[in-house]
Coordinates of all heavy atoms in Angstrom, one line a residue:
D37 N -20.4 19.7 10.4 CA -20.8 20.6 9.3 C -19.9 21.8 9.2 O -19.5 22.2 8.1 CB -22.3 21.0 9.4 CG -23.2 19.9 9.3 OD1 -23.0 18.9 8.6 OD2 -24.3 20.0 10.0
L38 N -19.5 22.3 10.4 CA -18.6 23.5 10.4 C -17.2 23.0 10.0 O -16.5 23.8 9.3 CB -18.6 24.1 11.8 CG -19.9 24.7 12.3 CD1 -19.9 25.0 13.8 CD2 -20.2 26.0 11.5
I39 N -16.8 21.8 10.3 CA -15.5 21.3 9.9 C -15.5 21.1 8.4 O -14.5 21.4 7.8 CB -15.2 20.0 10.7 CG1 -15.0 20.4 12.2 CG2 -13.9 19.3 10.2 CD1 -14.8 19.2 13.1
V40 N -16.6 20.6 7.9 CA -16.7 20.4 6.4 C -16.5 21.7 5.7 O -15.7 21.8 4.7 CB -18.1 19.8 6.0 CG1 -18.2 19.9 4.5 CG2 -18.2 18.4 6.5
R41 N -17.1 22.8 6.2 CA -17.0 24.1 5.6 C -15.5 24.6 5.7 O -15.0 25.1 4.7 CB -17.9 25.1 6.4 CG -17.7 26.5 6.1 CD -18.4 26.9 4.8 NE -18.2 28.4 4.6 CZ -17.9 28.9 3.4 NH1 -17.7 28.1 2.3 NH2 -17.7 30.2 3.3
A42 N -14.9 24.4 6.9 CA -13.5 24.9 7.1 C -12.5 24.1 6.1 O -11.6 24.7 5.5 CB -13.0 24.7 8.5
V43 N -12.7 22.8 6.0 CA -11.9 22.0 5.2 C -12.0 22.4 3.7 O -11.1 22.5 3.0 CB -12.2 20.5 5.4 CG1 -11.5 19.6 4.3 CG2 -11.7 20.0 6.8
A44 N -13.3 22.6 3.3 CA -13.6 23.1 2.0 C -12.8 24.4 1.7 O -12.2 24.6 0.6 CB -15.1 23.3 1.7
M45 N -12.9 25.3 2.6 CA -12.2 26.6 2.4 C -10.7 26.4 2.3 O -10.0 27.0 1.4 CB -12.5 27.6 3.6 CG -13.9 28.0 3.5 SD -14.4 28.8 5.1 CE -13.5 30.4 5.1
A46 N -10.1 25.5 3.1 CA -8.7 25.2 3.1 C -8.3 24.6 1.8 O -7.2 24.9 1.2 CB -8.3 24.4 4.3
V47 N -9.1 23.7 1.3 CA -8.9 22.9 0.0 C -8.8 23.9 -1.2 O -8.0 23.8 -2.1 CB -9.9 21.8 -0.2 CG1 -9.9 21.4 -1.7 CG2 -9.7 20.7 0.7
T48 N -9.7 24.9 -1.2 CA -9.7 25.8 -2.3 C -8.4 26.6 -2.4 O -8.0 27.0 -3.4 CB -10.9 26.8 -2.3 OG1 -10.9 27.5 -1.0 CG2 -12.2 26.1 -2.4
E49 N -7.8 26.9 -1.2 CA -6.6 27.6 -1.1 C -5.4 26.7 -1.4 O -4.4 27.1 -1.9 CB -6.4 28.2 0.3 CG -7.4 29.3 0.7 CD -7.3 29.6 2.1 OE1 -6.3 29.3 2.8 OE2 -8.3 30.2 2.6
R50 N -5.6 25.4 -1.2 CA -4.4 24.5 -1.3 C -4.8 23.2 -2.0 O -4.8 22.1 -1.5 CB -4.0 24.1 0.1 CG -3.4 25.3 0.9 CD -2.0 25.7 0.4 NE -1.1 24.5 0.3 CZ -0.5 24.0 1.3 NH1 -0.6 24.5 2.5 NH2 0.3 23.0 1.2
P51 N -5.2 23.3 -3.3 CA -5.6 22.2 -4.1 C -4.4 21.2 -4.2 O -4.7 20.0 -4.4 CB -6.0 22.7 -5.5 CG -5.4 24.1 -5.5 CD -5.3 24.6 -4.1
D52 N -3.2 21.6 -4.0 CA -2.0 20.7 -4.1 C -2.1 19.6 -3.1 O -1.7 18.5 -3.4 CB -0.7 21.5 -3.9 CG -0.6 22.2 -2.6 OD1 -1.5 23.0 -2.3 OD2 0.3 21.9 -1.8
V53 N -2.7 19.9 -2.0 CA -2.7 18.9 -0.9 C -3.7 17.8 -1.2 O -3.6 16.7 -0.7 CB -3.0 19.5 0.5 CG1 -3.1 18.5 1.6 CG2 -1.9 20.5 0.8
V54 N -4.7 18.0 -2.0 CA -5.7 17.0 -2.3 C -5.6 16.4 -3.8 O -6.4 15.8 -4.3 CB -7.2 17.5 -2.1 CG1 -7.4 17.8 -0.6 CG2 -7.4 18.7 -2.9
S55 N -4.4 16.7 -4.4 CA -4.1 16.1 -5.6 C -4.0 14.6 -5.4 O -3.5 14.2 -4.3 CB -2.8 16.6 -6.2 OG -2.9 18.0 -6.6
R56 N -4.4 13.7 -6.3 CA -4.3 12.3 -6.0 C -3.3 11.7 -6.9 O -3.0 12.2 -8.0 CB -5.7 11.6 -6.1 CG -6.3 11.8 -7.4 CD -7.8 11.3 -7.3 NE -8.5 11.5 -8.5 CZ -8.4 10.8 -9.6 NH1 -7.6 9.7 -9.6 NH2 -9.1 11.1 -10.7
F57 N -2.8 10.6 -6.5 CA -1.7 9.9 -7.2 C -2.3 8.8 -8.1 O -3.0 8.0 -7.6 CB -0.8 9.2 -6.1 CG 0.6 9.0 -6.6 CD1 1.5 10.0 -6.7 CD2 1.0 7.7 -7.0 CE1 2.8 9.8 -7.1 CE2 2.3 7.5 -7.5 CZ 3.2 8.6 -7.5
D58 N -2.1 8.9 -9.4 CA -2.7 8.0 -10.3 C -1.6 7.4 -11.2 O -1.1 8.1 -12.1 CB -3.8 8.7 -11.2 CG -4.6 7.7 -12.0 OD1 -4.4 6.5 -11.8 OD2 -5.4 8.2 -12.8
G59 N -1.2 6.2 -10.9 CA 0.0 5.7 -11.6 C 1.2 6.5 -11.2 O 1.6 6.5 -10.1
D60 N 1.8 7.2 -12.2 CA 3.0 8.0 -11.9 C 2.6 9.5 -11.9 O 3.4 10.3 -11.7 CB 4.1 7.8 -12.9 CG 4.7 6.4 -12.7 OD1 4.7 5.9 -11.6 OD2 5.1 5.8 -13.8
A61 N 1.3 9.8 -12.1 CA 0.9 11.2 -12.3 C 0.1 11.7 -11.1 O -0.6 10.9 -10.4 CB 0.0 11.3 -13.5
L62 N 0.3 13.0 -10.8 CA -0.5 13.6 -9.7 C -1.7 14.3 -10.5 O -1.4 15.2 -11.3 CB 0.3 14.6 -9.0 CG 1.1 14.1 -7.7 CD1 1.8 15.2 -7.1 CD2 0.1 13.5 -6.7
I63 N -2.9 14.0 -10.1 CA -4.1 14.6 -10.7 C -4.7 15.6 -9.8 O -5.0 15.3 -8.7 CB -5.1 13.5 -11.0 CG1 -4.5 12.2 -11.6 CG2 -6.3 14.1 -11.8 CD1 -4.1 12.3 -13.0
A64 N -4.8 16.8 -10.3 CA -5.4 17.9 -9.5 C -6.9 17.7 -9.4 O -7.5 17.1 -10.3 CB -5.2 19.3 -10.2
P65 N -7.5 18.1 -8.2 CA -8.9 17.8 -8.0 C -9.8 18.6 -9.0 O -9.4 19.7 -9.4 CB -9.2 18.3 -6.6 CG -8.1 19.3 -6.4 CD -6.9 18.8 -7.1
S66 N -11.0 18.1 -9.3 CA -11.9 18.7 -10.3 C -12.8 19.7 -9.6 O -13.5 20.5 -10.2 CB -12.7 17.7 -11.0 OG -13.4 16.9 -10.0
G67 N -12.9 19.7 -8.2 CA -13.7 20.6 -7.5 C -13.6 20.3 -6.0 O -12.9 19.3 -5.7
T68 N -14.2 21.1 -5.2 CA -14.1 20.9 -3.7 C -15.2 20.0 -3.2 O -16.2 20.5 -2.7 CB -14.0 22.3 -3.1 OG1 -13.0 23.1 -3.7 CG2 -13.7 22.2 -1.6
H69 N -15.1 18.7 -3.5 CA -16.1 17.8 -3.1 C -15.6 17.1 -1.8 O -14.5 16.4 -1.9 CB -16.4 16.8 -4.2 CG -16.6 17.5 -5.5 ND1 -17.5 18.5 -5.7 CD2 -16.0 17.3 -6.8 CE1 -17.5 18.9 -7.0 NE2 -16.6 18.2 -7.6
I70 N -16.3 17.2 -0.7 CA -15.8 16.7 0.6 C -16.6 15.4 1.0 O -17.8 15.5 1.0 CB -16.0 17.8 1.7 CG1 -15.4 19.1 1.2 CG2 -15.4 17.3 3.0 CD1 -13.9 19.2 1.1
G71 N -15.8 14.4 1.2 CA -16.5 13.1 1.6 C -16.7 13.1 3.1 O -15.9 13.7 3.9
V72 N -17.8 12.6 3.6 CA -18.1 12.5 5.0 C -18.4 11.0 5.3 O -19.3 10.4 4.8 CB -19.4 13.3 5.3 CG1 -19.7 13.2 6.8 CG2 -19.2 14.8 5.0
A73 N -17.5 10.4 6.2 CA -17.6 9.0 6.5 C -18.8 8.8 7.4 O -19.0 9.5 8.4 CB -16.3 8.5 7.2
V74 N -19.6 7.8 7.0 CA -20.9 7.5 7.7 C -20.9 6.0 8.1 O -20.7 5.1 7.2 CB -22.1 7.8 6.9 CG1 -23.4 7.4 7.6 CG2 -22.1 9.3 6.5
A75 N -21.0 5.7 9.4 CA -21.0 4.3 9.8 C -22.4 3.8 9.5 O -23.4 4.4 9.8 CB -20.7 4.2 11.3
V76 N -22.5 2.6 8.8 CA -23.7 1.9 8.6 C -23.5 0.5 9.1 O -22.4 0.0 9.3 CB -24.1 1.9 7.1 CG1 -24.4 3.3 6.6 CG2 -23.0 1.3 6.2
P77 N -24.6 -0.2 9.4 CA -24.5 -1.6 9.9 C -23.5 -2.4 9.0 O -23.7 -2.5 7.7 CB -25.9 -2.2 9.8 CG -26.8 -1.0 10.0 CD -26.0 0.1 9.2
G78 N -22.5 -2.9 9.5 CA -21.5 -3.8 8.8 C -20.6 -3.0 7.9 O -19.9 -3.6 7.1
G79 N -20.5 -1.7 8.0 CA -19.5 -1.0 7.1 C -19.5 0.5 7.3 O -19.9 1.0 8.2
L80 N -18.9 1.0 6.2 CA -18.7 2.5 6.2 C -19.0 3.0 4.8 O -18.6 2.4 3.8 CB -17.2 2.8 6.5 CG -16.8 4.2 6.7 CD1 -17.3 4.7 8.0 CD2 -15.3 4.3 6.7
L81 N -19.8 4.1 4.7 CA -20.0 4.7 3.4 C -19.5 6.1 3.4 O -19.4 6.7 4.5 CB -21.5 4.7 3.1 CG -22.2 3.4 2.8 CD1 -23.7 3.5 2.7 CD2 -21.6 2.7 1.5
V82 N -19.1 6.6 2.3 CA -18.6 8.0 2.3 C -19.3 8.8 1.2 O -18.9 9.0 0.1 CB -17.0 8.0 1.9 CG1 -16.5 9.5 2.0 CG2 -16.3 7.1 2.9
P83 N -20.5 9.4 1.6 CA -21.2 10.2 0.7 C -20.5 11.6 0.5 O -19.6 11.9 1.4 CB -22.6 10.4 1.4 CG -22.3 10.3 2.8 CD -21.2 9.2 2.9
V84 N -20.8 12.3 -0.5 CA -20.0 13.5 -0.9 C -20.8 14.7 -0.9 O -21.9 14.8 -1.6 CB -19.4 13.2 -2.3 CG1 -18.5 14.4 -2.7 CG2 -18.6 11.9 -2.3
V85 N -20.3 15.8 -0.2 CA -20.9 17.1 -0.3 C -20.2 17.8 -1.5 O -19.0 18.1 -1.5 CB -20.6 17.9 1.0 CG1 -21.2 19.3 0.9 CG2 -21.2 17.2 2.2
R86 N -21.0 18.0 -2.6 CA -20.5 18.6 -3.8 C -20.2 20.1 -3.6 O -21.0 20.8 -3.0 CB -21.5 18.5 -4.9 CG -21.9 17.1 -5.2 CD -21.1 16.4 -6.3 NE -21.3 15.0 -6.1 CZ -20.4 14.1 -6.3 NH1 -19.2 14.4 -6.6 NH2 -20.6 12.8 -6.1
S87 N -19.1 20.5 -4.2 CA -18.7 22.0 -4.2 C -19.0 22.6 -2.9 O -19.6 23.7 -2.8 CB -19.5 22.7 -5.4 OG -19.3 22.0 -6.6
A88 N -18.5 22.0 -1.9 CA -18.7 22.5 -0.5 C -18.2 23.9 -0.3 O -18.7 24.6 0.6 CB -18.1 21.5 0.5
D89 N -17.2 24.3 -1.1 CA -16.7 25.7 -0.9 C -17.7 26.7 -1.3 O -17.6 27.9 -0.9 CB -15.4 25.8 -1.8 CG -15.7 25.5 -3.2 OD1 -16.3 24.5 -3.5 OD2 -15.2 26.3 -4.1
T90 N -18.7 26.4 -2.1 CA -19.7 27.3 -2.6 C -20.9 27.4 -1.7 O -21.9 28.1 -1.9 CB -20.2 27.0 -4.0 OG1 -20.9 25.8 -4.0 CG2 -19.0 26.9 -5.0
K91 N -21.0 26.5 -0.6 CA -22.2 26.4 0.2 C -22.0 27.0 1.5 O -21.0 26.9 2.1 CB -22.5 24.9 0.3 CG -23.0 24.3 -1.0 CD -23.2 22.8 -0.9 CE -23.8 22.3 -2.2 NZ -23.8 20.9 -2.4
R92 N -23.1 27.6 2.0 CA -23.1 28.1 3.4 C -23.3 26.9 4.3 O -23.7 25.8 3.9 CB -24.3 29.1 3.5 CG -24.3 30.2 2.6 CD -25.6 31.0 2.6 NE -25.9 31.5 3.9 CZ -25.7 32.7 4.3 NH1 -25.2 33.6 3.5 NH2 -26.0 33.0 5.6
V93 N -23.0 27.2 5.6 CA -23.0 26.1 6.6 C -24.4 25.5 6.6 O -24.5 24.2 6.7 CB -22.7 26.7 8.0 CG1 -22.9 25.6 9.1 CG2 -21.2 27.1 8.0
A94 N -25.5 26.3 6.5 CA -26.8 25.7 6.6 C -27.1 24.7 5.4 O -27.7 23.7 5.5 CB -27.9 26.8 6.5
E95 N -26.5 25.1 4.2 CA -26.7 24.2 3.0 C -25.9 22.9 3.2 O -26.4 21.8 2.9 CB -26.2 24.9 1.8 CG -27.0 26.1 1.4 CD -26.3 26.8 0.2 OE1 -26.5 26.4 -1.0 OE2 -25.5 27.8 0.4
I96 N -24.7 23.0 3.8 CA -23.9 21.8 4.1 C -24.6 20.9 5.0 O -24.7 19.7 4.9 CB -22.5 22.3 4.6 CG1 -21.6 22.9 3.5 CG2 -21.7 21.0 5.2 CD1 -20.3 23.5 3.9
A97 N -25.2 21.5 6.1 CA -25.9 20.8 7.1 C -27.1 20.0 6.5 O -27.3 18.8 6.8 CB -26.4 21.7 8.2
A98 N -27.8 20.7 5.6 CA -29.0 20.0 5.0 C -28.5 18.9 4.0 O -29.1 17.8 4.0 CB -29.7 21.1 4.1
D99 N -27.4 19.2 3.3 CA -26.8 18.1 2.4 C -26.4 16.9 3.2 O -26.8 15.8 2.9 CB -25.5 18.7 1.7 CG -25.8 19.4 0.4 OD1 -27.0 19.7 0.2 OD2 -24.9 19.6 -0.3
V100 N -25.7 17.1 4.3 CA -25.2 16.0 5.1 C -26.3 15.2 5.7 O -26.3 14.0 5.7 CB -24.1 16.5 6.1 CG1 -23.8 15.4 7.1 CG2 -22.9 17.1 5.5
R101 N -27.3 16.0 6.3 CA -28.4 15.3 6.9 C -29.1 14.3 5.9 O -29.4 13.2 6.2 CB -29.5 16.3 7.4 CG -29.3 16.6 8.9 CD -30.6 17.2 9.4 NE -31.1 18.3 8.5 CZ -30.6 19.6 8.6 NH1 -29.6 19.9 9.4 NH2 -31.0 20.5 7.8
G102 N -29.3 14.8 4.6 CA -29.9 14.0 3.6 C -29.1 12.8 3.2 O -29.6 11.7 3.1
L103 N -27.8 13.1 3.0 CA -26.9 12.0 2.6 C -26.8 10.9 3.7 O -26.8 9.7 3.4 CB -25.5 12.6 2.4 CG -25.3 13.5 1.1 CD1 -24.0 14.3 1.2 CD2 -25.4 12.6 -0.2
V104 N -26.7 11.3 5.0 CA -26.6 10.4 6.1 C -27.9 9.5 6.1 O -27.8 8.3 6.3 CB -26.3 11.1 7.4 CG1 -26.5 10.1 8.6 CG2 -24.9 11.6 7.4
A105 N -29.0 10.2 6.0 CA -30.3 9.5 6.0 C -30.4 8.4 4.9 O -30.8 7.3 5.1 CB -31.5 10.5 5.9
R106 N -29.9 8.8 3.7 CA -30.0 7.9 2.6 C -29.0 6.7 2.7 O -29.2 5.6 2.3 CB -29.8 8.6 1.2 CG -31.0 9.5 0.9 CD -31.0 10.0 -0.5 NE -29.9 10.9 -0.9 CZ -29.9 12.2 -0.5 NH1 -30.9 12.7 0.3 NH2 -28.9 13.0 -0.8
C107 N -27.8 7.0 3.4 CA -26.9 6.0 3.7 C -27.5 4.9 4.6 O -27.4 3.7 4.4 CB -25.6 6.5 4.3 SG -24.5 7.3 3.2
R108 N -28.2 5.4 5.6 CA -28.8 4.5 6.6 C -30.0 3.8 6.1 O -30.2 2.6 6.6 CB -29.1 5.4 7.9 CG -27.8 6.0 8.4 CD -27.8 6.1 9.9 NE -26.4 6.4 10.4 CZ -26.0 7.5 11.0 NH1 -26.9 8.4 11.4 NH2 -24.8 7.7 11.4
D109 N -30.8 4.4 5.2 CA -32.0 3.6 4.8 C -31.7 2.9 3.5 O -32.6 2.2 2.9 CB -33.2 4.5 4.7 CG -33.1 5.5 3.5 OD1 -32.3 5.3 2.6 OD2 -33.9 6.5 3.5
G110 N -30.5 3.0 3.0 CA -30.1 2.2 1.8 C -30.5 2.8 0.5 O -30.3 2.2 -0.6
S111 N -30.9 4.1 0.4 CA -31.4 4.7 -0.8 C -30.3 5.5 -1.5 O -30.5 6.2 -2.5 CB -32.6 5.5 -0.6 OG -32.4 6.6 0.2
I112 N -29.1 5.6 -0.9 CA -28.0 6.4 -1.4 C -27.6 5.8 -2.8 O -27.7 4.6 -3.0 CB -26.8 6.4 -0.5 CG1 -25.8 7.5 -0.8 CG2 -26.1 5.0 -0.4 CD1 -26.1 8.8 -0.2
T113 N -27.3 6.7 -3.7 CA -26.9 6.2 -5.1 C -25.4 6.3 -5.3 O -24.7 7.1 -4.7 CB -27.6 7.2 -6.1 OG1 -27.1 8.5 -6.0 CG2 -29.2 7.2 -5.9
P114 N -24.9 5.4 -6.2 CA -23.5 5.4 -6.5 C -22.9 6.8 -6.8 O -21.8 7.1 -6.2 CB -23.3 4.5 -7.7 CG -24.5 3.5 -7.5 CD -25.6 4.3 -7.0
P115 N -23.5 7.6 -7.6 CA -22.9 9.0 -7.9 C -22.7 9.8 -6.6 O -21.8 10.6 -6.6 CB -23.9 9.6 -8.8 CG -24.7 8.5 -9.5 CD -24.7 7.4 -8.4
E116 N -23.6 9.6 -5.6 CA -23.5 10.4 -4.4 C -22.3 9.9 -3.5 O -21.9 10.6 -2.5 CB -24.8 10.2 -3.5 CG -26.0 10.9 -4.2 CD -27.2 10.7 -3.4 OE1 -27.7 9.6 -3.1 OE2 -27.8 11.7 -3.0

Side-chain angles (χ1 to χ4, degrees):
D37 296 327
L38 294 165
I39 293 172
V40 169
R41 171 81 179 135
V43 169
M45 290 166 72
V47 164
T48 57
E49 295 170 16
R50 295 289 306 283
D52 59 300
V53 178
V54 294
S55 295
R56 58 191 174 80
F57 206 76
D58 190 8
D60 291 328
L62 271 180
I63 314 286
S66 57
T68 307
H69 311 310
I70 309 292
V72 177
V74 177
V76 292
L80 188 73
L81 291 174
V82 183
V84 182
V85 179
R86 304 267 160 217
S87 306
D89 56 315
T90 66
K91 293 177 173 165
R92 301 168 59 99
V93 171
E95 294 173 85
I96 290 171
D99 271 13
V100 171
R101 264 197 312 278
L103 290 164
V104 168
R106 290 194 291 286
C107 282
R108 299 214 164 120
D109 71 16
S111 66
I112 196 86
T113 62
E116 292 178 300

